Amino acid sequence: FVGAFNTGGFVNFEYILNQLNEKTKIIGLSTGANPKHMKEQFSKRERMFKKRNGVDLNHVSRFSIINFNKIKKKINHLIYFGYKKGFVDKSYKDFKNKIDLQPCISDKIQFVRNINKINLKSFIYYSGSGYLHKGLDLIIEYFIQNQNLTLHICSPNYEKKFLNFYKISKYKNIIYNGNVKEDSNKAKELFSKCGYIISMNCSGGGSAALAVGRRYGLIPVVWKNEDCNPKACYIILKESIYGINKVIKKLINMDLNKYLKLSKENIKISQENSSIYYQKRLFKIFRKINAKK
C-alpha cells in the first residue's frame, strides 16, 4: 500500500492504515516535510505576517493534522519528494527507511530561450494553494517596495482575502495571471518574459513548480527551506524582505553571458523531472523495497 499523508488533503491515510492486513507492506509518500515541521514553519509565518501588518487573516494551511511519530512504526518505507540531506529529509531524521524522489512535470514543454526577450527584472511566482505557506506575502511586500521590478503571479487558487488585503490591482508591476497550465502557449509566452522564478516556501519538498521554471530556463530564487536542487540557483538566507533584497539586487545586474550559462544548466537539471527519469527511479525504488523481507 502506498499512501500520501503529509498535507491537509490526505485526510484518510490513518483510517486506511488501520484497515490493512498486518502482512501489507506500507509505504508512506511525503510530498513535503514532516507535518509537524510544516505546522511549526507555517505558525511562524503567521506570527511574522501579523507582526508586520497588524492584522489576522484566515490563511490556507498546507500541513496535515497527522502525527507522524504516532504512525511511523506502522510504516515500512518512506518515499519523499526532495533531496538527501535537504529540508524534507532532515524533518524525518529519526526514520531510517526513507528514499528520495523528484516530482514529474510535463514532457510537452519544449522551449528555446530568445535572448532578446530575457528581462532580468521580471520574476514569476508559480504555485498552488497556501499563499502564506509559500511566502507570497513576503514576495508581494518586496515588489510593492520595488516597483521598478515586475512580479507575475500564477496560481489555480485565488485566495481572495489574501489578495484583497494587498490590493495588488493598484500596482502595475504586480500582475495576477491566474491558472497557467505548465505546457500551454500562455506559459511559454509568460516564462519567456521572465528571468527568474521565486519562492519563499517555508517547507517545500522537491517543488514541481520550480522544475517547470527550470525547464523554461528560469533561475530559481528560493528561501533555504525550499528543498530543491541547489545547483545553479540562488538561496535566500534571511526570512525577510531584507533577505530577499540582498539576493535580488545582485541578480538584476547579472552579466548576460553568466545568466545564459545558468539558464542552460537549469534546463539540464529539469530533466530529472521528466517522465522517463521518474519512471526509472520508481522502478528502482520498488525493486529495492520488494527485495527486502
Side-chain angles (χ1 to χ4, degrees), residues 146-158:
N146 294 272
Q147 294 183 36
N148 60 315
L149 307 178
T150 301
L151 173 67
H152 289 276
I153 300 171
C154 302
S155 177
N157 302 87
Y158 188 90

Side-chain angles (χ1 to χ4, degrees), residues 42-254:
F42 180 75
S43 297
K44 180 182 175 184
R45 283 283 170 89
E46 283 189 310
R47 293 193 298 271
M48 289 169 65
F49 179 89
K50 186 177 180 181
K51 185 177 180 180
R52 288 196 318 274
N53 297 295
V55 295
D56 269 324
L57 288 181
N58 291 324
H59 296 289
V60 176
S61 62
R62 297 278 300 179
F63 58 87
S64 166
I65 59 170
I66 283 177
N67 184 334
F68 181 74
N69 285 334
K70 182 182 173 184
I71 63 171
K72 69 180 182 181
K73 287 184 179 179
K74 294 183 179 181
I75 298 175
N76 303 108
H77 300 273
L78 178 71
I79 297 174
Y80 65 91
F81 284 164
Y83 294 84
K84 289 179 181 178
K85 298 183 180 180
F87 180 79
V88 177
D89 185 7
K90 290 176 182 176
S91 76
Y92 291 107
K93 65 179 181 179
D94 297 326
F95 193 88
K96 291 183 179 179
N97 297 327
K98 52 189 174 181
I99 307 163
D100 58 296
L101 179 67
Q102 302 312 313
C104 183
I105 62 172
S106 174
D107 294 326
K108 293 180 181 179
I109 301 172
Q110 300 294 330
F111 187 68
V112 178
R113 298 223 70 176
N114 185 335
I115 297 174
N116 297 320
K117 284 189 175 183
I118 295 173
N119 186 343
L120 300 188
K121 292 187 176 182
S122 287
F123 295 72
I124 189 165
Y125 166 92
Y126 190 73
S127 196
S129 64
Y131 289 169
L132 185 77
H133 184 96
K134 304 291 180 65
L136 184 57
D137 57 321
L138 287 165
I139 294 169
I140 286 177
E141 288 172 35
Y142 174 78
F143 280 86
I144 286 173
Q145 293 181 20
N146 294 272
Q147 294 183 36
N148 60 315
L149 307 178
T150 301
L151 173 67
H152 289 276
I153 300 171
C154 302
S155 177
N157 302 87
Y158 188 90
E159 294 178 24
K160 189 175 181 181
K161 288 184 179 179
F162 181 98
L163 294 173
N164 284 352
F165 172 77
Y166 284 111
K167 300 176 183 177
I168 59 172
S169 58
K170 286 173 50 179
Y171 305 100
K172 291 182 179 179
N173 67 317
I174 301 175
I175 303 137
Y176 182 82
N177 297 279
N179 187 24
V180 178
K181 191 177 176 184
E182 63 187 60
D183 54 10
S184 64
N185 288 330
K186 186 176 180 181
K188 189 179 291 186
E189 180 186 351
L190 188 57
F191 278 86
S192 68
K193 295 178 182 178
C194 300
Y196 305 94
I197 183 165
I198 186 167
S199 173
M200 286 294 288
N201 195 333
C202 68
S203 60
S207 171
L210 289 180
V212 170
R214 284 181 137 147
R215 184 68 58 83
Y216 281 105
L218 271 61
I219 299 170
V221 184
V222 298
W223 167 235
K224 66 179 182 178
N225 287 10
E226 183 75 73
D227 201 343
C228 72
N229 191 322
K231 295 177 183 177
C233 79
Y234 286 83
I235 308 296
I236 296 167
L237 298 175
K238 288 192 176 290
E239 197 173 7
S240 62
I241 293 168
Y242 167 80
I244 296 172
N245 184 59
K246 192 174 182 180
V247 175
I248 286 183
K249 68 181 183 181
K250 296 177 183 176
L251 302 182
I252 59 176
N253 296 309
M254 186 184 293

Side-chain angles (χ1 to χ4, degrees), residues 6-60:
N6 68 302
T7 63
F10 304 122
V11 294
N12 296 314
F13 181 80
E14 193 169 0
Y15 174 78
I16 295 169
L17 211 58
N18 293 329
Q19 315 305 311
L20 299 175
N21 186 291
E22 289 182 3
K23 294 181 179 179
T24 305
K25 272 190 177 178
I26 298 167
I27 302 164
L29 176 64
S30 188
T31 57
N34 187 322
K36 179 186 176 184
H37 290 253
M38 292 181 77
K39 183 179 180 180
E40 288 171 354
Q41 293 299 320
F42 180 75
S43 297
K44 180 182 175 184
R45 283 283 170 89
E46 283 189 310
R47 293 193 298 271
M48 289 169 65
F49 179 89
K50 186 177 180 181
K51 185 177 180 180
R52 288 196 318 274
N53 297 295
V55 295
D56 269 324
L57 288 181
N58 291 324
H59 296 289
V60 176

